[in-house]
Amino acid sequence: MLRTVKPRNARSKRALEAREAKEVEDVRTAIFVKGTHTGEIVNGVMQELMALKRPNAISFSKKNTIRPFEDASSLEFWANKNDASMFLMGQSTKKRPAGLVIARTFDSKVLDMCELGVDKFVSMAEFKTPKSTPGHKPMMHFASELFDTHPRFIQLKSLLLDFFNGEVIESICLPGLEHVISISLAPAPSLQTANPILGESQEEDVQNLPKVHIRTYTVKLLPSGTRVPRVELTEMGPFLDLSLRRHQNADPEMWKAAMRRPKLKKQDTEKGLGKKQKNMQVDEMGDLRGRVHIAKQDLSKLQTRKMKGLKSTRLEEDASGSSEESEEEEEEALRQKKRKRD
């Protein structure tokens, strides 16, 4: 049974409400943790990635004895205490040198993890080029079909998107797109993808999986003579070559709860965000327009406001009276013809 914390005052109540689940999530805060042994490469990689993640990054200066794949209790404690949902842990051992572990939590519980090995690292300082402004949301580019078909790379793509993703925005300003993070894969032999329909599971040998290349570029918009500017990419760094190692999949029940979406409100449904309603549409200005089907109306019997200009004249009354008399005469003639036949 989960322990429920009751607020003692208004301040603690607001703090608990800020941590509750929201329809639109806040920016994910990442905690950078160093293990007992970290080398120069791991320290440099964590420092560069923290520079891309700022200001939503928390760095632990002390070294910690952590084994996330064996005991994740310390991660859950830090996640609950700092209201963070992402972790990047660096540790270098004789068996697994220059290792990074990306972990994701849900409701202060570890959801899934992926371990990566750093094969090559090029720092930002080696590129004498302008850098992007801290806090800007990057553009993400995944250049391989395996990110949509292979289960290991699908998990890695989801983790990287949650790690670098910023605030949810409704519109984009072109000058605000300052840098792009490109993730590609090295050439590798053909891999058999798992079939989710048949429920197949695939456990490939880590040595056969292709390496992951992460490249960061700054975006420069130049005039092109048209409304669409000409885009040039400049190397900014860091450059990383990573290899996949261990991983931990998410629990199915926890994953189902994490992917659950709240029900749409009546206002959102009317705006067209929910199920499409019949004979209702939203125009370009965002206004809701509906079409109503009714029977044909007899406007001659419509009661209008009594005004002198709308009163019928004598000629109109005489014409209407003569037309009624002619109709009555025709009916009498038809009746007489029927009587003669009988």
Side-chain angles (χ1 to χ4, degrees):
M1 185 176 180
L2 295 177
R3 183 174 63 93
T4 58
V5 180
K6 294 183 179 180
R8 296 182 179 180
N9 49 35
R11 181 180 178 183
S12 59
K13 183 179 180 180
R14 290 193 298 268
L16 291 176
E17 290 177 352
R19 295 191 178 191
E20 291 180 353
K22 303 179 181 62
E23 294 184 8
V24 180
E25 293 184 356
D26 298 332
V27 183
R28 292 179 176 270
T29 303
I31 298 179
F32 292 77
V33 184
K34 295 180 182 179
T36 53
H37 300 282
T38 57
E40 183 180 357
I41 295 178
V42 174
N43 291 335
V45 171
M46 295 185 67
Q47 186 177 359
E48 301 284 329
L49 293 179
M50 188 170 59
L52 294 177
K53 183 62 179 174
R54 283 175 180 165
N56 304 303
I58 301 174
S59 177
F60 287 178
S61 57
K62 294 183 179 180
K63 295 182 179 181
N64 298 270
T65 305
I66 51 173
R67 296 180 178 87
F69 288 95
E70 299 174 6
D71 183 16
S73 58
S74 56
L75 300 183
E76 296 173 354
F77 173 75
W78 292 330
N80 189 19
K81 184 177 180 180
N82 298 277
D83 192 16
S85 58
M86 298 294 299
F87 283 90
L88 181 66
M89 293 153 284
Q91 191 164 357
S92 182
T93 60
K94 185 177 181 180
K95 187 177 180 180
R96 298 183 180 90
L100 296 175
V101 178
I102 302 177
R104 177 169 48 184
T105 63
F106 171 73
D107 195 17
S108 300
K109 302 293 182 182
V110 174
L111 184 64
D112 56 350
M113 291 183 289
C114 181
E115 185 179 12
L116 304 169
V118 181
D119 299 330
K120 184 180 179 181
F121 168 63
V122 182
S123 176
M124 290 185 187
E126 300 186 17
F127 298 95
K128 307 301 180 181
T129 54
K131 313 301 179 184
S132 62
T133 306
H136 276 224
K137 187 173 183 177
M139 294 180 287
M140 304 293 294
H141 174 244
F142 294 89
S144 178
E145 296 179 355
L146 294 178
F147 288 113
D148 298 325
T149 56
H150 198 278
R152 290 296 307 273
F153 294 105
I154 291 175
Q155 182 192 33
L156 179 62
K157 177 182 177 181
S158 178
L159 288 170
L160 291 177
L161 284 176
D162 282 350
F163 186 84
F164 290 108
N165 193 17
E167 298 180 358
V168 178
I169 57 177
E170 297 180 356
S171 57
I172 299 175
C173 180
L174 286 181
L177 302 176
E178 294 189 0
H179 63 294
V180 56
I181 300 176
S182 177
I183 299 96
S184 59
L185 299 180
S190 60
L191 299 175
Q192 297 178 357
T193 57
N195 191 348
I197 299 176
L198 301 178
E200 297 178 1
S201 61
Q202 177 180 347
E203 290 293 338
E204 293 284 348
D205 187 8
V206 178
Q207 301 295 334
N208 297 331
L209 294 177
K211 293 184 179 181
V212 182
H213 302 309
I214 298 180
R215 304 289 184 262
T216 310
Y217 304 92
T218 54
V219 179
K220 190 175 182 180
L221 303 178
L222 301 175
S224 62
T226 60
R227 294 185 61 184
V228 180
R230 183 167 61 89
V231 180
E232 286 188 358
L233 299 180
T234 307
E235 296 178 347
M236 183 185 79
F239 282 10
L240 295 172
D241 291 348
L242 307 175
S243 57
L244 294 179
R245 293 179 182 174
R246 295 178 295 174
H247 77 290
Q248 176 180 324
N249 291 326
D251 181 67
E253 294 296 331
M254 188 181 295
W255 181 261
K256 184 178 179 181
M259 296 300 291
R260 187 179 301 162
R261 294 185 179 182
K263 293 183 179 179
L264 293 174
K265 298 179 180 178
K266 184 179 179 181
Q267 297 177 355
D268 298 337
T269 306
E270 291 177 352
K271 290 180 181 179
L273 300 178
K275 186 177 180 180
K276 187 176 181 181
Q277 297 183 1
K278 190 176 180 181
N279 299 326
M280 296 181 67
Q281 60 182 359
V282 182
D283 59 5
E284 296 178 354
M285 301 300 295
D287 299 329
L288 182 67
R289 295 185 177 274
R291 181 180 297 176
V292 181
H293 299 276
I294 57 176
K296 188 176 181 181
Q297 296 180 346
D298 187 6
L299 301 179
S300 62
K301 298 180 181 180
L302 183 65
Q303 179 66 35
T304 58
R305 186 177 179 182
K306 296 180 179 180
M307 297 175 63
K308 292 182 179 180
L310 298 177
K311 289 183 178 180
S312 58
T313 59
R314 293 181 180 178
L315 295 176
E316 293 178 353
E317 292 177 356
D318 295 340
S320 61
S322 60
S323 61
E324 292 176 358
E325 291 176 358
S326 60
E327 291 178 357
E328 291 178 359
E329 292 176 356
E330 290 178 358
E331 291 178 358
E332 287 291 335
L334 291 174
R335 291 173 185 173
Q336 291 177 1
K337 287 182 181 180
K338 290 181 180 179
R339 290 173 184 175
K340 289 178 181 180
R341 291 176 184 176
D342 297 338

